[in-house]
Amino acid sequence: MKFTERLKAGVLLDNPVFMQTIGLCPALATTTSLSNAIGMGAAATVVLICSNVVISLLRKFIPDKIRIAAFISIIATFVTLIQMLLNAYIPSLAASLGLFLPLIVVNCIILGRAEAYASKNKVLPSALDGVCMGLGFTFALVLMGFFRELLGAGTIAAGIIGDKGIQIPGLVDYPATMMILPAGGFLVMGFILAAIQKIMSGKEGK
Amino acid sequence: MSETKKGEGIGRLIVVLGLITFVCALLLGVVNQVTAPLIEQNDINTRNAAMEEIIPGAEFEDLGVVLSAEDVAAAGVTLPAGRSAAAISGVYKATVDGQDAGYCVQVNPKGFGGELTMIVGISTDGTVAGAKVTAHGETPGLGAKSQTDPEWIKQYQGQPADGQLQVTKDGGTINAITGSTITSRAVTDGVNTAAAYVATLG
């Protein structure tokens, strides 16, 4: 139970998006740019850590039969709390996250980790699991967001490095707009999954 | 997942789930009590900042107008064929140094992800002074550009405030956001509603 091992599992070997292929809906929908990807990843990670801790604390208290209903109530409460607090105290961040926040409720990574890990493990490992899986999710989103923004808008990190980001000459005037549309999400996801399969199969061969 | 016979009765299920939801509701209620006034103040600040940006240096007088979409239509606001008027959640009369400077109208057209909130400025010379989306539920990276892309929203500035603007797809002059025709139409509806409503004020 070393942190580096868990981190490696969360980000690479057991990456929620690329390996477990869960949480695909936000991964496809919100990765139109690098800044969106980081926003969604960070927000989901915070909720994931909170819900993992609370569900782990309550794991002996919640009967099996109603666990899903209980998990969803807890997750939805956290999301709503964070939304209200952000709206009140950091409205600029709330505005830039926009629809991402309420969408976290239906992110199945959160429920998936509650069911698969937090409901069976102690508090500290559960919190750690939240951190690692959250980072893995963020990593996947960042990878997709980077390529989709680069190809679809011709920029890198727009909204992070200044308003316009780094503009790629040539691409920025004639971007492949399809890449930031839903079809582009599926395409980028497909290519990344294929690349990962290739790398993994190469490792196994040795 | 051990199925203990003791303590797994229906009564315990009800009590446990009831307790969890009760604590959740209590937490939400308390935090809502604390944050609601702050959020309201933030909304007012956002609105004031948007109005200041559209008609700089003006003083605004709240006319206390709040109309549903039906009320707006009944007030004689008609939009281009196939489009319907948006709800109005505030009308503010602008004066600069004691001179009439037009109106700012807060409208709520229906977009792709629910209602948008936007401020539309109408100048006394019958043109659109500007528009700004202040809140929305549009898709990030697509419809959300109506708020985040200042270049896009700028095209409304200086357009005739005759309530007849349309996106190019519908035969008008407004360039829609790529992949977000519905949002672009909604923003156009908002501008048109504001323009046509201000026209009825005389």
Side-chain angles (χ1 to χ4, degrees), chain B residues 139-164:
Chain B
T139 317
L142 295 169
K145 277 190 184 156
S146 59
Q147 183 181 35
T148 55
D149 187 349
E151 294 299 316
W152 183 79
I153 199 84
K154 228 181 193 168
Q155 64 180 319
Y156 290 97
Q157 207 174 319
Q159 296 275 3
D162 54 5
Q164 298 299 316

mmCIF file of all heavy atoms in Angstrom, chain B residues 139-164:
data_model
loop_
_atom_site.group_PDB
_atom_site.id
_atom_site.type_symbol
_atom_site.label_atom_id
_atom_site.label_comp_id
_atom_site.label_asym_id
_atom_site.label_seq_id
_atom_site.Cartn_x
_atom_site.Cartn_y
_atom_site.Cartn_z
ATOM 1 N N THR B 139 -23.092 24.216 -23.287
ATOM 2 C CA THR B 139 -21.993 23.257 -23.340
ATOM 3 C C THR B 139 -20.635 23.962 -23.296
ATOM 4 O O THR B 139 -20.376 24.837 -24.110
ATOM 5 C CB THR B 139 -22.068 22.445 -24.643
ATOM 6 O OG1 THR B 139 -23.416 22.090 -24.870
ATOM 7 C CG2 THR B 139 -21.213 21.210 -24.551
ATOM 8 N N PRO B 140 -19.778 23.561 -22.357
ATOM 9 C CA PRO B 140 -18.439 24.152 -22.299
ATOM 10 C C PRO B 140 -17.702 23.951 -23.623
ATOM 11 O O PRO B 140 -17.769 22.880 -24.211
ATOM 12 C CB PRO B 140 -17.754 23.364 -21.181
ATOM 13 C CG PRO B 140 -18.863 22.832 -20.342
ATOM 14 C CD PRO B 140 -20.005 22.588 -21.286
ATOM 15 N N GLY B 141 -17.037 25.002 -24.089
ATOM 16 C CA GLY B 141 -16.264 24.888 -25.319
ATOM 17 C C GLY B 141 -17.083 25.145 -26.569
ATOM 18 O O GLY B 141 -16.542 25.414 -27.624
ATOM 19 N N LEU B 142 -18.406 25.025 -26.450
ATOM 20 C CA LEU B 142 -19.255 25.298 -27.608
ATOM 21 C C LEU B 142 -20.168 26.488 -27.281
ATOM 22 O O LEU B 142 -19.787 27.630 -27.450
ATOM 23 C CB LEU B 142 -20.067 24.044 -27.976
ATOM 24 C CG LEU B 142 -19.212 22.856 -28.462
ATOM 25 C CD1 LEU B 142 -20.037 21.595 -28.558
ATOM 26 C CD2 LEU B 142 -18.592 23.170 -29.810
ATOM 27 N N GLY B 143 -21.380 26.190 -26.783
ATOM 28 C CA GLY B 143 -22.322 27.273 -26.493
ATOM 29 C C GLY B 143 -21.815 28.228 -25.437
ATOM 30 O O GLY B 143 -22.189 29.407 -25.414
ATOM 31 N N ALA B 144 -20.927 27.738 -24.558
ATOM 32 C CA ALA B 144 -20.388 28.595 -23.498
ATOM 33 C C ALA B 144 -19.579 29.751 -24.074
ATOM 34 O O ALA B 144 -19.323 30.743 -23.397
ATOM 35 C CB ALA B 144 -19.532 27.775 -22.536
ATOM 36 N N LYS B 145 -19.179 29.639 -25.348
ATOM 37 C CA LYS B 145 -18.439 30.736 -25.983
ATOM 38 C C LYS B 145 -19.264 32.007 -26.058
ATOM 39 O O LYS B 145 -18.713 33.098 -26.214
ATOM 40 C CB LYS B 145 -18.011 30.318 -27.388
ATOM 41 C CG LYS B 145 -16.755 29.500 -27.412
ATOM 42 C CD LYS B 145 -16.277 29.335 -28.829
ATOM 43 C CE LYS B 145 -15.070 28.430 -28.888
ATOM 44 N NZ LYS B 145 -14.939 27.823 -30.209
ATOM 45 N N SER B 146 -20.605 31.867 -25.993
ATOM 46 C CA SER B 146 -21.447 33.061 -26.001
ATOM 47 C C SER B 146 -21.065 33.960 -24.836
ATOM 48 O O SER B 146 -21.213 35.173 -24.892
ATOM 49 C CB SER B 146 -22.916 32.666 -25.905
ATOM 50 O OG SER B 146 -23.157 31.939 -24.718
ATOM 51 N N GLN B 147 -20.558 33.364 -23.760
ATOM 52 C CA GLN B 147 -20.117 34.160 -22.622
ATOM 53 C C GLN B 147 -18.625 34.448 -22.663
ATOM 54 O O GLN B 147 -18.183 35.540 -22.329
ATOM 55 C CB GLN B 147 -20.447 33.437 -21.307
ATOM 56 C CG GLN B 147 -20.080 34.263 -20.088
ATOM 57 C CD GLN B 147 -20.382 33.544 -18.789
ATOM 58 O OE1 GLN B 147 -20.251 32.336 -18.687
ATOM 59 N NE2 GLN B 147 -20.804 34.286 -17.796
ATOM 60 N N THR B 148 -17.840 33.469 -23.109
ATOM 61 C CA THR B 148 -16.392 33.593 -22.940
ATOM 62 C C THR B 148 -15.692 34.231 -24.139
ATOM 63 O O THR B 148 -14.546 34.641 -24.015
ATOM 64 C CB THR B 148 -15.756 32.210 -22.687
ATOM 65 O OG1 THR B 148 -16.139 31.343 -23.758
ATOM 66 C CG2 THR B 148 -16.222 31.617 -21.385
ATOM 67 N N ASP B 149 -16.350 34.272 -25.296
ATOM 68 C CA ASP B 149 -15.685 34.831 -26.476
ATOM 69 C C ASP B 149 -16.153 36.269 -26.711
ATOM 70 O O ASP B 149 -17.224 36.497 -27.269
ATOM 71 C CB ASP B 149 -16.010 33.962 -27.701
ATOM 72 C CG ASP B 149 -15.209 34.392 -28.921
ATOM 73 O OD1 ASP B 149 -14.581 35.469 -28.863
ATOM 74 O OD2 ASP B 149 -15.214 33.658 -29.921
ATOM 75 N N PRO B 150 -15.356 37.246 -26.281
ATOM 76 C CA PRO B 150 -15.798 38.638 -26.410
ATOM 77 C C PRO B 150 -15.954 39.070 -27.868
ATOM 78 O O PRO B 150 -16.775 39.916 -28.187
ATOM 79 C CB PRO B 150 -14.698 39.430 -25.700
ATOM 80 C CG PRO B 150 -13.520 38.527 -25.653
ATOM 81 C CD PRO B 150 -14.038 37.133 -25.667
ATOM 82 N N GLU B 151 -15.160 38.442 -28.762
ATOM 83 C CA GLU B 151 -15.245 38.803 -30.181
ATOM 84 C C GLU B 151 -16.600 38.429 -30.757
ATOM 85 O O GLU B 151 -17.164 39.142 -31.575
ATOM 86 C CB GLU B 151 -14.129 38.104 -30.970
ATOM 87 C CG GLU B 151 -12.733 38.565 -30.605
ATOM 88 C CD GLU B 151 -12.532 40.041 -30.870
ATOM 89 O OE1 GLU B 151 -12.967 40.508 -31.939
ATOM 90 O OE2 GLU B 151 -11.963 40.739 -30.007
ATOM 91 N N TRP B 152 -17.117 37.283 -30.325
ATOM 92 C CA TRP B 152 -18.372 36.811 -30.891
ATOM 93 C C TRP B 152 -19.535 37.717 -30.499
ATOM 94 O O TRP B 152 -20.317 38.137 -31.340
ATOM 95 C CB TRP B 152 -18.659 35.365 -30.450
ATOM 96 C CG TRP B 152 -19.918 34.853 -31.086
ATOM 97 C CD1 TRP B 152 -20.048 34.392 -32.369
ATOM 98 C CD2 TRP B 152 -21.214 34.819 -30.506
ATOM 99 N NE1 TRP B 152 -21.360 34.080 -32.609
ATOM 100 C CE2 TRP B 152 -22.095 34.319 -31.498
ATOM 101 C CE3 TRP B 152 -21.731 35.165 -29.259
ATOM 102 C CZ2 TRP B 152 -23.452 34.154 -31.274
ATOM 103 C CZ3 TRP B 152 -23.084 35.004 -29.036
ATOM 104 C CH2 TRP B 152 -23.942 34.500 -30.030
ATOM 105 N N ILE B 153 -19.632 38.014 -29.216
ATOM 106 C CA ILE B 153 -20.785 38.779 -28.739
ATOM 107 C C ILE B 153 -20.734 40.213 -29.253
ATOM 108 O O ILE B 153 -21.745 40.892 -29.340
ATOM 109 C CB ILE B 153 -20.864 38.723 -27.190
ATOM 110 C CG1 ILE B 153 -22.264 39.091 -26.676
ATOM 111 C CG2 ILE B 153 -19.820 39.605 -26.532
ATOM 112 C CD1 ILE B 153 -23.221 37.943 -26.669
ATOM 113 N N LYS B 154 -19.536 40.654 -29.647
ATOM 114 C CA LYS B 154 -19.355 42.029 -30.113
ATOM 115 C C LYS B 154 -20.141 42.319 -31.390
ATOM 116 O O LYS B 154 -20.458 43.472 -31.683
ATOM 117 C CB LYS B 154 -17.862 42.270 -30.375
ATOM 118 C CG LYS B 154 -17.344 43.563 -29.768
ATOM 119 C CD LYS B 154 -15.883 43.720 -30.111
ATOM 120 C CE LYS B 154 -15.231 44.804 -29.278
ATOM 121 N NZ LYS B 154 -13.784 44.749 -29.406
ATOM 122 N N GLN B 155 -20.441 41.272 -32.179
ATOM 123 C CA GLN B 155 -21.098 41.518 -33.455
ATOM 124 C C GLN B 155 -22.514 42.091 -33.290
ATOM 125 O O GLN B 155 -23.058 42.656 -34.238
ATOM 126 C CB GLN B 155 -21.157 40.244 -34.293
ATOM 127 C CG GLN B 155 -21.994 39.139 -33.679
ATOM 128 C CD GLN B 155 -22.029 37.898 -34.544
ATOM 129 O OE1 GLN B 155 -22.135 37.980 -35.758
ATOM 130 N NE2 GLN B 155 -21.909 36.736 -33.918
ATOM 131 N N TYR B 156 -23.088 41.974 -32.094
ATOM 132 C CA TYR B 156 -24.419 42.539 -31.867
ATOM 133 C C TYR B 156 -24.351 44.066 -31.713
ATOM 134 O O TYR B 156 -25.324 44.759 -31.946
ATOM 135 C CB TYR B 156 -25.070 41.928 -30.630
ATOM 136 C CG TYR B 156 -25.459 40.489 -30.828
ATOM 137 C CD1 TYR B 156 -24.630 39.460 -30.406
ATOM 138 C CD2 TYR B 156 -26.658 40.154 -31.449
ATOM 139 C CE1 TYR B 156 -24.978 38.136 -30.604
ATOM 140 C CE2 TYR B 156 -27.023 38.836 -31.652
ATOM 141 C CZ TYR B 156 -26.182 37.828 -31.223
ATOM 142 O OH TYR B 156 -26.525 36.522 -31.423
ATOM 143 N N GLN B 157 -23.164 44.523 -31.282
ATOM 144 C CA GLN B 157 -22.980 45.949 -31.033
ATOM 145 C C GLN B 157 -23.192 46.737 -32.314
ATOM 146 O O GLN B 157 -22.599 46.421 -33.349
ATOM 147 C CB GLN B 157 -21.566 46.175 -30.503
ATOM 148 C CG GLN B 157 -21.416 47.383 -29.626
ATOM 149 C CD GLN B 157 -20.017 47.428 -29.042
ATOM 150 O OE1 GLN B 157 -19.449 46.421 -28.641
ATOM 151 N NE2 GLN B 157 -19.455 48.607 -28.987
ATOM 152 N N GLY B 158 -24.058 47.763 -32.274
ATOM 153 C CA GLY B 158 -24.279 48.599 -33.442
ATOM 154 C C GLY B 158 -25.314 48.059 -34.426
ATOM 155 O O GLY B 158 -25.636 48.713 -35.406
ATOM 156 N N GLN B 159 -25.824 46.862 -34.153
ATOM 157 C CA GLN B 159 -26.882 46.322 -35.019
ATOM 158 C C GLN B 159 -28.160 47.127 -34.796
ATOM 159 O O GLN B 159 -28.383 47.663 -33.716
ATOM 160 C CB GLN B 159 -27.152 44.844 -34.672
ATOM 161 C CG GLN B 159 -25.984 43.924 -34.924
ATOM 162 C CD GLN B 159 -25.931 43.441 -36.367
ATOM 163 O OE1 GLN B 159 -26.746 43.847 -37.196
ATOM 164 N NE2 GLN B 159 -24.956 42.609 -36.672
ATOM 165 N N PRO B 160 -29.039 47.236 -35.822
ATOM 166 C CA PRO B 160 -30.304 47.944 -35.627
ATOM 167 C C PRO B 160 -31.164 47.250 -34.568
ATOM 168 O O PRO B 160 -31.287 46.030 -34.584
ATOM 169 C CB PRO B 160 -30.970 47.872 -37.011
ATOM 170 C CG PRO B 160 -30.283 46.759 -37.726
ATOM 171 C CD PRO B 160 -28.879 46.740 -37.192
ATOM 172 N N ALA B 161 -31.695 48.042 -33.651
ATOM 173 C CA ALA B 161 -32.519 47.473 -32.579
ATOM 174 C C ALA B 161 -33.968 47.391 -33.043
ATOM 175 O O ALA B 161 -34.855 48.022 -32.490
ATOM 176 C CB ALA B 161 -32.385 48.312 -31.306
ATOM 177 N N ASP B 162 -34.196 46.603 -34.112
ATOM 178 C CA ASP B 162 -35.554 46.487 -34.649
ATOM 179 C C ASP B 162 -36.205 45.158 -34.275
ATOM 180 O O ASP B 162 -37.324 44.868 -34.660
ATOM 181 C CB ASP B 162 -35.533 46.645 -36.174
ATOM 182 C CG ASP B 162 -34.553 45.663 -36.833
ATOM 183 O OD1 ASP B 162 -33.982 44.821 -36.101
ATOM 184 O OD2 ASP B 162 -34.365 45.744 -38.051
ATOM 185 N N GLY B 163 -35.455 44.338 -33.506
ATOM 186 C CA GLY B 163 -36.021 43.059 -33.075
ATOM 187 C C GLY B 163 -36.103 42.033 -34.196
ATOM 188 O O GLY B 163 -36.829 41.060 -34.094
ATOM 189 N N GLN B 164 -35.376 42.239 -35.295
ATOM 190 C CA GLN B 164 -35.479 41.331 -36.438
ATOM 191 C C GLN B 164 -34.146 40.674 -36.790
ATOM 192 O O GLN B 164 -33.954 40.213 -37.905
ATOM 193 C CB GLN B 164 -36.017 42.086 -37.668
ATOM 194 C CG GLN B 164 -37.422 42.648 -37.490
ATOM 195 C CD GLN B 164 -38.457 41.562 -37.216
ATOM 196 O OE1 GLN B 164 -38.465 40.526 -37.860
ATOM 197 N NE2 GLN B 164 -39.293 41.781 -36.214
#
